[in-house]
Amino acid sequence: MKHIGWLLFVLYSSNALSAGEVEIPLLAETTHLQSAISRVLEIDENGQSLLRNDLCNQLELSDVRVMTEDAQLSVDMALTATTGAHVFGACRGPKPWQGRLAFKLTPQVTASGLAIEFVPDSIQLSRPDSSPGLLSKPVQIIADALVLPRIKTMQIDLAGPLNSLDELIEQLLGQNDVPSLVQRTHIARLQTEETGVRAWLAFQVRPPEPVEQVPEPILDASELAEWQTLEDELDGFLTTIITMLAQSTDSRALRLELFAVLLDARHAIAEALTVDDPEHDPVRELFLTTWDRLRPLMGILEGLETPGLEVDFRLAAFLAGGDALRALDALGPEYGLEITRDGLRRLARLLMAESAPPSFTPLPLEVDPEFRDLFGFETREEAEFTTVALTQQIAGGFGRFGAWLLPAAHADSITPAEALKGLVPQPDNLDAYLKLVASLLEEQASAWLDKNNRLPDRLTERLDPLVRATAWKESCWRHFSGSGSEPQVLRSPGGAVGMMQINGRVWRKVYDLDRLVNEVDYNVNAGIDILTHYLVDYAIRLGEHEQPGGDDNLIKATYAAYNGGPGHLARYRRDDTPAQLQAIDNAFWSHYTTIKTEQWPDISSCYSVSQ
């Protein structure tokens, strides 16, 4: 992957300079620059290099470090230099000189206007005691002869990436009469910054021909189905790619960040499916938004030098392809960028070659144990409650209402989940119904704590009110709605189901989608699983409790992520959070504090109660 690292640029949105010209900044990150320097100096996989002038004069290089400093790159490395002469068939000379070699590089644009070269200044030598030493002069001569010529060959040639971008344009849009990017592009300016060297590419863009704007008609049923299929295709594409990237690293933190990108994308897709706006292109926006979040993580993956990436040169082509789509969008209406199923498949094939599926739909819906394990979910069967003792305890405490809910003939065998199956809360059973649900939620939360030790001790007592408050805010403790004679599983417009309002589109491959609908205890267990996942793997790991508010923040952040996805984790404390989401978070926190204090929700917040 390092051998074609110069394809890996981060492309941002374009800025108009004048009529017919835009600028797009491209960042050559410091890790990529270090890779290029290591490559020209022949640094091997062990981080070492042996450069020879002749048998008696050689340099051993290691520990290469690159950083930016003002307008230059500062390069530093360990050096062991052997100098001498060939006398009577053997090398004669002093013992090797050991110290460090340093020089600075000034980036500048070549005469072609499409490449960046790096001009080195003189090499500086130093020993551990900061003195040059008696033999520094011959070492300097050898270093100048062996290092500087190699460094001068290093270039960032943008002609290759631009040709690749043109090929992708042709793939997506077919032949067109627009001049190639190589013909109408030049590097306008350079800037060295902390993260690397940024080049501004100035593009000559043909202004779009004026057309009469005609309102798009409302999507008919077949067109709406086509949009949904394309959004499914994007979901499948992202799931496949992110899974492949996560498998390439052992870093749990990086896997969790990749999973967060996937979950947020799925949340956005589920929301987009509820919007019928013919002028809105959700697939394009979702792809570009997700790419902007995914691209830095792939840069981190490259920096980790994981074996799974180092041997897979196709990842570089995939990154270049995604960056090209980002650049196409920045170039504007001249290209009329549209993300299509074929475009996603072509992009996937850059990474997966022949193993890329012919289609990402229909989406696989079954539980995938490897997928669960990859992103930190245990593959064991979730806890379910079928104990007679629990049933008897619940029934015994309900009196007359309990007898109505759990008939005597079944009191010794029926489980709370079975008692709740098809049961819709009504005025005449509300008290007993809520007690039954409360017991189920409490026991499920306790069972999770009994079987898991991931939660810090100080937070264990907060799990029960967190689960209760979440279920109350999401569903008013209902799994079914409608009439008692024709109960229907509670569903949101976006597709979330059941008591914990879990969206099967978001959580496919992690949970059994049929059981989320058909089994209230499975639904509750999945909800607890998701809550603790967000609490431990995101809120605690990212330090939400270190913000003003302490551990209360962990509860607020956990629910915000549960409600909207990992990208919503900190929305409860942001000033720019939309009022609608602030209202949701405030209502949840009110439920949580009430339940934590009184062990019971404010029933009037969901149901009409007699005074």
Side-chain angles (χ1 to χ4, degrees):
M1 180 173 176
K2 300 294 184 184
H3 299 293
I4 47 178
W6 298 122
L7 290 179
L8 309 181
F9 296 110
V10 181
L11 287 87
Y12 301 89
S13 59
S14 60
N15 298 309
L17 295 179
S18 59
E21 186 172 75
V22 295
E23 274 192 359
I24 296 180
L26 298 92
L27 178 66
E29 299 174 9
T30 305
T31 54
H32 303 149
L33 297 171
Q34 179 163 330
S35 297
I37 291 170
S38 297
R39 189 160 56 250
V40 297
L41 293 179
E42 303 175 24
I43 303 293
D44 63 19
E45 60 184 12
N46 297 316
Q48 299 176 334
S49 174
L50 177 62
L51 304 180
R52 285 181 172 173
N53 193 18
D54 54 48
L55 292 177
C56 299
N57 295 277
Q58 63 183 33
L59 303 179
E60 297 176 48
L61 307 176
S62 61
D63 189 27
V64 178
R65 304 173 187 174
V66 178
M67 61 184 297
T68 58
E69 184 176 327
D70 298 326
Q72 296 177 304
L73 295 180
S74 178
V75 184
D76 176 79
M77 65 195 74
L79 168 67
T80 299
T82 301
T83 60
H86 197 261
V87 179
F88 299 116
C91 291
R92 307 294 181 184
K95 66 179 182 179
W97 184 96
Q98 292 184 320
R100 296 198 69 85
L101 178 154
F103 55 89
K104 295 185 185 300
L105 298 175
T106 302
Q108 64 182 31
V109 181
T110 64
S112 71
L114 290 174
I116 305 171
E117 61 184 1
F118 295 85
V119 181
D121 63 7
S122 60
I123 287 177
Q124 303 295 321
L125 300 176
S126 64
R127 298 196 305 175
D129 61 1
S130 299
S131 68
L134 295 176
L135 301 176
S136 62
K137 187 170 183 179
V139 173
Q140 181 89 44
I141 294 173
I142 297 175
D144 287 343
L146 294 178
V147 174
L148 293 184
R150 287 175 167 82
I151 292 296
K152 290 177 181 178
T153 65
M154 188 179 80
Q155 284 192 353
I156 300 178
D157 188 354
L158 299 184
L162 289 172
N163 279 325
S164 298
L165 193 148
D166 266 337
E167 291 173 2
L168 188 57
I169 293 172
E170 185 174 330
Q171 283 184 334
L172 289 174
L173 306 176
Q175 295 286 348
N176 58 74
D177 58 358
V178 179
S180 70
L181 295 183
V182 173
Q183 294 174 317
R184 57 195 178 98
T185 304
H186 66 278
I187 300 174
R189 52 197 170 97
L190 298 174
Q191 178 177 314
T192 303
E193 51 192 61
E194 183 178 358
T195 53
V197 175
R198 195 180 300 276
W200 273 263
L201 285 183
F203 290 86
Q204 293 296 324
V205 181
R206 184 182 63 187
E209 297 180 2
V211 295
E212 182 180 356
Q213 296 295 326
V214 179
E216 292 285 345
I218 298 297
L219 299 178
D220 60 27
S222 62
E223 290 171 326
L224 183 58
E226 178 71 12
W227 270 118
Q228 292 176 347
T229 301
L230 184 53
E231 286 166 327
D232 283 351
E233 198 81 22
L234 177 61
D235 183 346
F237 166 82
L238 292 173
T239 300
T240 301
I241 296 303
I242 287 175
T243 299
M244 188 172 186
L245 294 173
Q247 289 170 338
S248 71
T249 177
D250 292 329
S251 169
R252 176 169 173 77
L254 195 49
R255 285 181 176 180
L256 289 173
E257 291 305 310
L258 288 166
F259 191 49
V261 173
L262 178 60
L263 290 178
D264 280 330
R266 287 180 171 183
H267 272 283
I269 291 171
E271 182 178 353
L273 287 171
T274 67
V275 177
D276 183 9
D277 182 356
E279 297 183 357
H280 179 61
D281 184 352
V283 175
R284 170 184 155 275
E285 293 180 9
L286 285 170
F287 174 85
L288 296 174
T289 300
T290 303
W291 184 261
D292 286 345
R293 287 188 60 188
L294 192 58
R295 182 60 179 82
L297 298 179
M298 290 188 282
I300 295 173
L301 278 172
E302 187 201 17
L304 293 177
E305 300 187 358
T306 54
L309 293 183
E310 286 301 304
V311 299
D312 191 357
F313 296 102
R314 291 190 299 268
L315 182 58
F318 170 73
L319 292 175
D323 285 346
L325 291 179
R326 195 70 180 92
L328 280 173
D329 182 71
L331 289 177
E334 172 185 355
Y335 288 95
L337 174 64
E338 180 180 359
I339 303 297
T340 64
R341 287 192 297 274
D342 287 340
L344 291 174
R345 293 167 195 165
R346 290 190 188 102
L347 185 58
R349 282 197 290 271
L350 292 177
L351 176 63
M352 305 178 69
E354 298 305 319
S355 63
S359 174
F360 294 106
T361 55
L363 298 175
L365 302 180
E366 64 275 4
V367 175
D368 184 340
E370 292 183 1
F371 184 87
R372 284 180 58 90
D373 183 66
L374 181 65
F375 293 112
F377 291 86
E378 295 184 15
T379 55
R380 63 172 175 79
E381 187 74 9
E382 291 83 0
E384 296 182 19
F385 297 94
T386 58
T387 61
V388 173
L390 173 60
T391 304
Q392 291 175 333
Q393 177 185 358
I394 295 172
F398 284 171
R400 178 171 59 86
F401 289 115
W404 182 87
L405 283 168
L406 301 175
H410 301 286
D412 291 338
S413 60
I414 193 170
T415 66
E418 290 171 335
L420 288 168
K421 189 171 184 178
L423 191 60
V424 178
Q426 304 285 354
D428 61 347
N429 71 1
L430 184 60
D431 184 58
Y433 173 89
L434 295 178
K435 288 180 180 178
L436 180 61
V437 174
S439 296
L440 177 62
L441 296 175
E442 179 184 3
E443 292 297 330
Q444 298 273 30
S446 296
W448 188 94
L449 290 172
D450 289 341
K451 295 186 177 183
N452 293 273
N453 58 4
R454 300 184 63 215
L455 205 60
D457 290 343
R458 73 180 193 278
L459 297 178
T460 55
E461 65 179 12
R462 288 179 176 254
L463 181 59
D464 177 62
L466 171 61
V467 173
R468 293 193 192 205
T470 299
W472 189 262
K473 179 66 185 74
E474 293 292 305
S475 69
C476 292
W477 286 8
R478 295 175 299 162
H479 194 77
F480 296 94
S481 62
S483 66
S485 59
E486 296 183 0
Q488 301 292 325
V489 173
L490 189 66
R491 296 179 184 271
S492 74
V497 299
M499 188 170 293
M500 300 300 288
Q501 285 293 280
I502 299 171
N503 194 307
R505 168 177 283 280
V506 174
W507 292 100
R508 68 181 183 85
K509 302 187 77 172
V510 180
Y511 300 107
D512 186 313
L513 305 192
D514 290 333
R515 295 184 69 188
L516 288 175
V517 174
N518 298 328
E519 303 175 29
V520 63
D521 50 349
Y522 185 87
N523 187 286
V524 169
N525 271 293
I528 295 173
D529 208 23
I530 295 168
L531 283 169
T532 52
H533 175 67
Y534 283 139
L535 175 56
V536 175
D537 292 331
Y538 292 94
I540 294 176
R541 179 175 64 88
L542 297 177
E544 284 297 314
H545 54 299
E546 297 172 0
Q547 300 289 332
D551 283 350
D552 284 349
N553 290 355
L554 296 175
I555 304 303
K556 296 176 181 179
T558 296
Y559 177 74
Y562 186 95
N563 178 258
H568 288 243
L569 189 78
R571 77 183 189 193
Y572 71 94
R573 59 180 173 85
R574 290 202 305 258
D575 294 334
D576 60 348
T577 298
Q580 180 183 9
L581 296 180
Q582 290 182 14
I584 291 173
D585 291 343
N586 291 338
F588 162 77
W589 186 244
S590 176
H591 297 324
Y592 174 83
T593 54
T594 298
I595 291 172
K596 188 172 184 290
T597 302
E598 303 178 10
Q599 305 298 311
W600 200 252
D602 176 7
I603 299 175
S604 65
S605 63
C606 280
Y607 301 97
S608 297
V609 293
S610 58
Q611 300 297 324

